[in-house]
Amino acid sequence: MTKNKPTVQDIFILYGPSYIKNHKLSKEQLKVISSIMNCKTKEMGIHKIICEHCGEEIIGYNSCRNRHCPMCQQYKKEEWIFNQNKDLLNCPYFHIVTTVPSKLNEIALYNQKEFYDILAFSTKESILELCEDPKWLGAKVGITSILHTWGSTMEFHPHIHSIVTGGGLTKNNKWVESSKYYLVKVQVLSSKFRGKFLSKLKALDLKLPKHLEHLKDNKKLNKFLEPLYKEDWVTYIEPPKGSPENVIEYIGRYSFRVAISNNRIKSIENGIISFEYKDYKDESKIKIMKLTADEFIRRFLLHVLPDNFTKIKHYGLLANNVKSSNIKLCRILISQYIYSNFTIKIKRKLYKHKCLICGSEDFNYEFFYNIHRLVTE
């Protein structure tokens, strides 16, 4: 049994080395295991925080800063929220979820970057096209999309969370606001997304395991995919909840999640990991799942993203190359002239160190890394 509050780091320290010996892993997966095992330990080196006023020193171990590490996400989330509040518009926001059938999971795992790219592309194109149609909104909306690849039990379940402005700019630069409860018809969105995604999937040069290599033949791939055109793909549109001031918090909560947080892990005993999960098939009741350490690590590693893959993307009004000018124009058009009066409601102060001696928040930071480790990795 480990300490009172078991963590993902404990699991990797106890069972990670044997898992590495017995399984073939990608370089990204090996890096994640190593980073989490060594996070906030001497292996990562130390940092020194020196008070500029009285010279008091605080010494601590460095974090791994890996985006899959449960211990490194809280500050990143707070920092992102702090920086993103400047892009918030005073309008409703909708939460849209798009996902793909489980029949495609194996293809996804062998083609992660390409698969996730077309998942995000098909989602944003479907939303933008429908919203620009005069039948629905008739305007270009702003979208922040976040890729998730897990369900509550850490099984592989790739899907996109999209936060969409409940309003947008027309071609002649007028602001049109949606209904507070309705953006587009969910069945139409699902159908359009399905068609776009399958069309893009067929165009990929797929990497496949031996038992699926026959799908490299276009006719056989078409036959494999044909039943999926008749299925209802799970698509969900959640109406706005609360005021716009809550939106940044809402987005941040989705943006920096990892496959499982430490507070869900209840025990590690005799090679068995117990953790909480939400059973959506049983009225979202909280239950306990028990997995062997091997199975827990296998599931966790399913969600390691390819290096340099961007999981948070902005589209439409919020596309990086036009975001700044669009935000200014939209604020004017929706009569949001006094920016400071609005943002002051949602500004949050990032946690800062306070000197225990003089109370100052002004520090110099010095970082000392384990040079041998950095060179050999």
Side-chain angles (χ1 to χ4, degrees):
M1 187 83 168
T2 60
K3 56 191 176 186
N4 291 334
K5 293 184 178 179
T7 66
V8 172
Q9 184 181 52
D10 294 328
I11 296 166
F12 280 167
I13 288 173
L14 287 169
Y15 307 107
S18 63
Y19 190 89
I20 291 171
K21 278 185 182 179
N22 297 319
H23 297 83
K24 185 178 179 181
L25 302 176
S26 68
K27 63 178 182 179
E28 291 92 349
Q29 291 172 328
L30 287 168
K31 183 177 179 181
V32 167
I33 294 176
S34 174
S35 295
I36 294 176
M37 284 176 65
N38 294 299
C39 187
K40 296 182 180 179
T41 72
K42 63 182 180 180
E43 291 297 318
M44 284 290 168
I46 64 170
H47 57 266
K48 187 187 293 185
I49 306 172
I50 307 163
C51 177
E52 290 184 353
H53 289 260
C54 69
E56 176 70 7
E57 293 185 2
I58 302 170
I59 296 176
Y61 291 125
N62 296 333
S63 300
C64 70
R65 300 187 181 184
N66 191 291
R67 61 178 169 179
H68 302 92
C69 175
M71 295 187 290
C72 290
Q73 301 312 302
Q74 184 61 27
Y75 183 81
K76 283 185 179 180
K77 184 188 85 170
E78 294 296 325
E79 184 179 39
W80 188 83
I81 291 173
F82 185 83
N83 291 329
Q84 290 294 313
N85 66 42
K86 64 182 180 294
D87 297 328
L88 188 62
L89 293 173
N90 191 13
C91 70
Y93 282 79
F94 290 81
H95 176 206
I96 298 178
V97 180
T98 47
T99 188
V100 295
S102 58
K103 185 177 182 180
L104 298 175
N105 282 357
E106 197 165 11
I107 292 176
L109 285 169
Y110 278 86
N111 302 270
Q112 288 186 51
K113 184 183 183 304
E114 296 81 6
F115 193 96
Y116 300 153
D117 277 339
I118 65 170
L119 177 56
F121 177 86
S122 303
T123 297
K124 68 99 172 177
E125 285 293 298
S126 300
I127 295 170
L128 289 174
E129 284 183 19
L130 282 179
C131 288
E132 288 187 55
D133 188 333
K135 184 178 177 181
W136 306 107
L137 183 65
K140 179 175 285 188
V141 295
I143 304 170
T144 296
S145 76
I146 304 111
L147 171 72
H148 278 185
T149 61
W150 57 84
S152 185
T153 60
M154 290 198 298
E155 288 284 20
F156 190 62
H157 176 57
H159 57 285
I160 296 283
H161 291 271
S162 299
I163 309 301
V164 184
T165 58
L169 287 179
T170 63
K171 289 181 180 178
N172 56 353
N173 283 339
K174 290 186 178 180
W175 175 263
V176 178
E177 188 158 306
S178 71
S179 158
K180 289 186 178 179
Y181 307 104
Y182 186 80
L183 186 62
V184 296
K185 194 171 183 178
V186 67
Q187 294 90 340
V188 177
L189 176 62
S190 178
S191 177
K192 184 176 279 286
F193 165 69
R194 178 182 60 203
K196 286 184 178 295
F197 181 87
L198 289 175
S199 175
K200 286 285 182 183
L201 184 64
K202 289 176 184 179
L204 290 182
D205 182 15
L206 294 171
K207 304 180 196 77
L208 296 167
K210 283 187 178 180
H211 67 280
L212 290 179
E213 278 186 349
H214 61 282
L215 296 182
K216 286 186 174 289
D217 181 277
N218 287 337
K219 288 184 179 179
K220 291 178 180 178
L221 178 62
N222 287 337
K223 189 174 181 180
F224 175 80
L225 297 177
E226 189 177 349
L228 299 182
Y229 282 97
K230 299 172 185 175
E231 287 186 19
D232 287 329
W233 289 27
V234 177
T235 304
Y236 178 70
I237 302 179
E238 183 180 39
K241 289 186 176 180
S243 62
E245 290 89 340
N246 297 327
V247 171
I248 294 294
E249 185 81 37
Y250 187 72
I251 298 173
R253 191 167 76 238
Y254 279 100
S255 300
F256 291 91
R257 281 182 179 172
V258 296
I260 188 169
S261 59
N262 284 329
N263 59 17
R264 287 176 55 200
I265 300 172
K266 296 304 171 186
S267 67
I268 307 170
E269 194 164 4
N270 298 324
I272 301 296
I273 317 299
S274 300
F275 64 93
E276 285 184 348
Y277 75 100
K278 190 179 286 187
D279 188 346
Y280 292 102
K281 294 179 180 178
D282 189 13
E283 300 178 342
S284 296
K285 290 178 182 176
I286 302 297
K287 298 182 179 180
I288 299 294
M289 175 164 282
K290 294 185 177 184
L291 298 176
T292 63
D294 257 30
E295 177 60 13
F296 181 96
I297 294 173
R298 183 194 74 81
R299 292 192 188 188
F300 189 94
L301 295 179
L302 286 174
H303 312 294
V304 172
L305 297 174
D307 275 351
N308 303 314
F309 182 83
T310 304
K311 73 171 186 176
I312 305 173
K313 300 179 181 181
H314 305 281
Y315 303 110
L317 296 179
L318 302 179
N320 292 331
N321 59 334
V322 294
K323 180 189 293 188
S324 180
S325 58
N326 280 340
I327 292 293
K328 289 175 184 176
L329 177 58
C330 290
R331 287 209 173 101
I332 293 170
L333 293 175
I334 59 179
S335 302
Q336 192 173 333
Y337 296 107
I338 307 174
Y339 173 48
S340 59
N341 286 349
F342 176 66
T343 58
I344 196 69
K345 297 177 186 176
I346 59 170
K347 271 195 173 180
R348 54 210 285 145
K349 191 173 184 179
L350 289 175
Y351 172 77
K352 290 185 178 180
H353 292 288
K354 272 192 176 180
C355 180
L356 298 177
I357 305 301
C358 68
S360 170
E361 293 183 352
D362 298 321
F363 289 87
N364 287 320
Y365 295 81
E366 295 179 5
F367 289 86
F368 305 90
Y369 295 96
N370 185 327
I371 300 300
H372 174 72
R373 176 182 171 77
L374 291 175
V375 169
T376 55
E377 275 194 346

